[in-house]
Amino acid sequence: MEETQILYRIFSRLAVALGVLNGIALKDAKELVIEQIKGLRFEDDIKILINDIDEDEHEIIEQLLAETILVCDELGSSRNYITLENILKQIAASISEGHSIEECKYTNSIVNRFKMNITLINKKIPQPPLFNMIMETRSLLEWSSIYCLYPFIPKHIKGNGKPVLLIPPYLGDDNSTTFVRKYLKSLGFKTYKWDLGFNMVKSHYIPRLEEKIHDIFQEHKEKVSIVGWSGGGIFAKIMANRHPDQVEQILTIGSPIWGVMDMKTPVYGVLEFFRGKSLKERNERFLAELEPIPEVPVTCIFTKTDGLVPWKHCIEAETSRKDIKNIEVYGSHSGMGANVSVLLVTANMLSANIQGKKLRNVGSNYERFLYPKFWTKALKAFKTKKSIAAIVK
């Protein structure tokens, strides 16, 4: 939390200084910023930092902007910076009401320069190291061992017939999601294949997916949860952005779900359709739909030892809302469909989000005994955190 505290401390000063720009009193500017952070994961901690600001710093806003960008650059690429972008954008919109475009020119330039620099910082995500790529061979062991491990995976979750659509990875078909579907079905979820053959991650699948989701929605008279592995998560996010009225939640597994146009992968052609010149314009429109955060619960399962996709592209901005969670597991990218931890998290989070519970409220002692290392790590992010406030004191 120390690194986060350093960033939020300087950013809070920048946000308040921006609020003061158009003649708003310091007290009102602080209230404006506090209004914009409602619902954020660290809302209470940031509020303390904002309330500690006791002087108008709008005259040094250029310095504050430069310092904030510097801290972001030093901390490295992060999807969570989109939360900061949105806060500044909302503040600028609020203080611009009743003013001409010319009067708001400088205010908007602050926001645009921050966004431009964050874009540059987030383009620096490196491709997975060679070691990770070589270690993808362990997926053979993961797929082989799942046959022995599957009978011992806890099955205490009750799916209660909730509909779940599973979308396979790039170059995979419904056979790729066999174990995830089998496990969810054994728990009582009503699972659906995507039935579109091999997933080549092309936009022409979208109309058929929309029709399938609509049919499932009509059949159950309730929203559909979508689980997407790798390239399948791309479609899960697009469906959630297009049809939040029919999608209950999405769960992505090792899926690149933002910044994909700039993503670096060690495997030539893994996402081949992004690169062809004749498809470039269409792909940009298609991938642009990945950038917004869906207005439904989002769970992103990722592994830092991924050898195909940079793991930072596989997590969503969990600082922006309390129903967005990133959960790390251990294993290869290619073996995630046969990874016991992935199966456990998938079932637990599908159930938890539907019931409005947190991860630490689901699971059993039996499950934690079988997979102690996984649960110790997974629960760490959801236990009572050492807050920014504690660090400030």
Side-chain angles (χ1 to χ4, degrees), residues 109-128:
S109 78
I110 295 290
V111 178
N112 291 335
R113 279 185 284 157
F114 181 79
K115 183 177 181 179
M116 180 184 68
N117 279 278
I118 291 301
T119 298
L120 293 175
I121 292 170
N122 281 338
K123 285 184 178 182
K124 297 178 182 179
I125 300 176
Q127 69 177 25

Side-chain angles (χ1 to χ4, degrees), residues 226 235-245 247 250 294-296:
I226 306 178
F235 289 113
K237 190 173 182 184
I238 290 174
M239 290 299 101
N241 276 325
R242 287 195 179 192
H243 303 288
D245 57 323
V247 176
I250 63 170
E295 292 300 322
V296 302

Side-chain angles (χ1 to χ4, degrees), residues 212-226:
K212 190 173 190 70
I213 290 171
H214 177 73
D215 289 345
I216 298 173
F217 176 75
Q218 289 297 321
E219 178 183 343
H220 288 264
K221 303 301 180 187
E222 61 180 314
K223 294 182 179 182
V224 185
S225 297
I226 306 178

